[in-house]
Amino acid sequence: MAALSTRQEAVLAFLPLFPGVLSIISSSLLIRLCVKRAVKSSSSSTERGGCCGGYCGGCCSRLPSSPFRRILLVMSAFDLLNTIHVCLTPFIMPRESSDNFWVVGNDATCTLRAVMDQWVFPSFAYYVALSFYYLLRIRYSVKDSFFGKRIEPWIHAFMFLYPLTTTIVGLSLGVFGYQPAINVCWVVPNDRCDQRCLQIIIWLFGGIFFVSSFFIVILNNLLIYCYVRTARNKSQRLSTLSTNENASRINVVAVQAFLYVLVFLLTYTWSLILRFMVVVRSTANPYPVQILRALFLPLMGAGNLLVYVRPRYLQVRTIEPGRSRLSAFVLVVLHDSDRRKSSRSSRSLRRSNSRAHGGSGRINNSEESNGSCNASFLARLMQSSSSAGNDGSSRIVTSHNSSSGHHRSSTALDHGTDTPLAEVACGAIDAGTT
């Protein structure tokens, strides 16, 4: 690849700092939200004498109750490590690699950078785990307790054992070092590992998993899209209350899944392109792609936070339309205790809407106690308010009031129970709510 000028190297070194700081703050806030929610969920679970998401014992008070939040919690922690890794890389390269004043590293920092490269593997691999979680819950109706007990432990074990194993093997073989040809600190050949050995190491140390992650995430979400489309077509053909409500709930969760995929593609596609250019020994100028990588790669934490708080943000904006967008976002992210006020306003709004349509005014028990249901209900409420007076809005509200007496009420995922596919968006997955 073409060599870069000093000005271009300076841009690539300092450009990731601002999005990196933003991502560090976002990942920290996301961890705070998950942990804070875990304390509340474990308290309610303890009062009922249950366990948090299939995990019993002293750690229950510190673990989020849903596999979704546990995956997101650990993924955010690795996002923090990855962001720090991206921001520090230009400064801890060996001084022999450049005459620029900001390069202050040595062989030890180069080895540290190579080791950190192995420990950022879970930051993108957890997107694969998240896509499998959504696929199993939406398309195959896998129960949450089954996923938490039988599948999730293996996911976390692999995410920790893989970087630990590759780090030990790399240090024992002494293959971590500086590659002058491509100006990267990662794996290099030595007396104990020739070029053929190095190629195997490259693929085993991340190449095969990094490339396959894109295919797996895209494939899983294509399967989700096909299922959502089938459910939507079925609801249009049958046009019954249960099928319409089921399709609406599935669609709400599918949108969250697709948004997480969008964050994954925006942050990691540029790294894939650069690695492909290195493999094929491309002579094209890599600078435009490197600019995009330096800009988007550190933003993974910010993207995850925006997707996570999106349902609650939409709920607050619906309940209080006079509140500004920035104020609603700050309320959702920082003032989590104010959710009780929003929940009371939401229940009052549903009662008044039910009475206006001649309903009994009774609220579904799960939506009374579970904030995640409000996002799904208010999504339908917004649809009904935009077409007030037509048969569709009346059917939605009537279906909601009548279903509390004829259908099994949904139960919050935070309560550690299982829910059917028809309730996948209303307390079954809690995908992205705070």
Side-chain angles (χ1 to χ4, degrees):
M1 295 189 293
L4 301 177
S5 65
T6 302
R7 183 176 181 179
Q8 290 175 334
E9 290 180 353
V11 171
L12 293 178
F14 292 95
L15 181 61
L17 295 183
F18 175 74
V21 172
L22 181 62
S23 183
I24 290 174
I25 296 174
S26 301
S27 295
S28 301
L29 289 173
L30 188 51
I31 292 173
R32 170 184 172 272
L33 289 172
C34 290
V35 173
K36 191 172 183 180
R37 184 74 172 181
V39 173
K40 294 181 179 180
S41 300
S42 62
S43 299
S44 59
S45 178
T46 303
E47 292 174 358
R48 292 187 303 272
C51 301
C52 50
Y55 290 89
C56 301
C59 64
C60 183
S61 59
R62 298 183 296 272
L63 284 175
S65 58
S66 68
F68 167 77
R69 283 201 181 94
R70 288 194 293 268
I71 291 175
L72 201 62
L73 174 63
V74 183
M75 184 171 72
S76 299
F78 280 106
D79 282 346
L80 273 174
L81 178 62
N82 193 13
T83 303
I84 296 173
H85 166 259
V86 172
C87 293
L88 291 182
T89 291
F91 304 97
I92 62 175
M93 297 290 290
R95 293 185 64 87
E96 64 187 70
S97 65
S98 175
D99 296 329
N100 298 321
F101 70 90
W102 60 83
V103 180
V104 295
N106 51 36
D107 292 340
T109 59
C110 185
T111 302
L112 175 63
R113 192 267 179 199
V115 172
M116 290 179 64
D117 217 22
Q118 297 307 120
W119 281 96
V120 299
F121 161 80
S123 64
F124 66 84
Y126 267 110
Y127 282 101
V128 179
L130 204 60
S131 70
F132 272 116
Y133 174 75
Y134 276 112
L135 176 66
L136 295 175
R137 293 293 289 129
I138 296 175
R139 184 179 178 90
Y140 299 105
S141 302
V142 173
K143 293 183 178 182
D144 191 63
S145 60
F146 179 87
F147 187 93
K149 293 179 180 179
R150 302 294 181 86
I151 301 177
E152 185 190 359
W154 293 101
I155 293 176
H156 295 303
F158 176 75
M159 297 300 181
F160 282 91
L161 290 177
Y162 173 78
L164 178 62
T165 303
T166 55
T167 298
I168 294 175
V169 172
L171 291 174
S172 62
L173 293 177
V175 295
F176 290 141
Y178 175 63
Q179 293 185 9
I182 56 178
N183 193 30
V184 170
C185 289
W186 192 31
V187 291
V188 294
N190 56 25
D191 296 337
R192 304 175 63 182
C193 185
D194 56 11
Q195 285 292 340
R196 183 176 181 181
C197 168
L198 184 66
Q199 292 298 322
I200 298 175
I201 290 291
I202 289 175
W203 281 104
L204 292 180
F205 275 34
I208 187 171
F209 296 106
F210 185 74
V211 175
S212 61
S213 295
F214 284 85
F215 292 100
I216 295 174
V217 168
I218 293 174
L219 176 61
N220 288 346
N221 282 270
L222 283 176
L223 293 175
I224 293 175
Y225 171 77
C226 294
Y227 182 81
V228 171
R229 185 176 180 180
T230 301
R232 186 182 304 160
N233 293 337
K234 181 179 178 180
S235 66
Q236 292 175 352
R237 289 196 310 268
L238 299 179
S239 188
T240 61
L241 300 180
S242 59
T243 55
N244 288 338
E245 186 176 358
N246 186 35
S248 176
R249 289 171 173 174
I250 293 175
N251 186 70
V252 170
V253 183
V255 168
Q256 286 293 108
F258 296 148
L259 289 176
Y260 281 113
V261 174
L262 180 62
V263 173
F264 172 76
L265 294 178
L266 283 177
T267 53
Y268 287 105
T269 299
W270 320 112
S271 298
L272 180 65
I273 294 175
L274 286 175
R275 294 197 181 192
F276 178 77
M277 294 175 67
V278 171
V279 170
V280 300
R281 293 180 172 85
S282 173
T283 58
N285 183 12
Y287 186 64
V289 182
Q290 289 175 325
I291 285 288
L292 293 173
R293 179 185 181 272
L295 181 62
F296 285 102
L297 185 58
L299 286 175
M300 66 193 76
N304 290 335
L305 177 66
L306 291 176
V307 177
Y308 182 78
V309 303
R310 173 181 168 271
R312 179 69 59 182
Y313 168 81
L314 295 177
Q315 175 187 342
V316 172
R317 290 280 295 168
T318 303
I319 296 174
E320 304 179 47
R323 185 184 290 272
S324 65
R325 291 181 174 86
L326 179 59
S327 177
F329 180 77
V330 172
L331 174 68
V332 169
V333 175
L334 298 180
H335 303 288
D336 189 57
S337 60
D338 289 343
R339 288 185 305 164
R340 297 176 182 177
K341 179 180 178 181
S342 299
S343 180
R344 289 194 296 268
S345 301
S346 173
R347 291 194 292 269
S348 299
L349 181 62
R350 293 201 301 271
R351 290 191 184 97
S352 61
N353 187 281
S354 177
R355 295 190 185 101
H357 287 80
S360 62
R362 183 173 57 182
I363 307 298
N364 186 294
N365 292 333
S366 63
E367 294 190 1
E368 183 83 9
S369 61
N370 180 29
S372 63
C373 264
N374 297 335
S376 174
F377 174 78
L378 287 173
R380 300 195 299 273
L381 185 61
M382 285 189 292
Q383 296 176 358
S384 65
S385 61
S386 63
S387 57
N390 59 26
D391 294 337
S393 61
S394 176
R395 283 198 304 269
I396 290 175
V397 176
T398 303
S399 171
H400 172 70
N401 291 321
S402 63
S403 63
S404 61
H406 299 288
H407 298 283
R408 185 169 69 90
S409 61
S410 61
T411 306
L413 186 80
D414 289 329
H415 298 168
T417 56
D418 297 317
T419 51
L421 179 61
E423 298 160 356
V424 70
C426 188
I429 287 188
D430 192 15
T433 59
T434 59

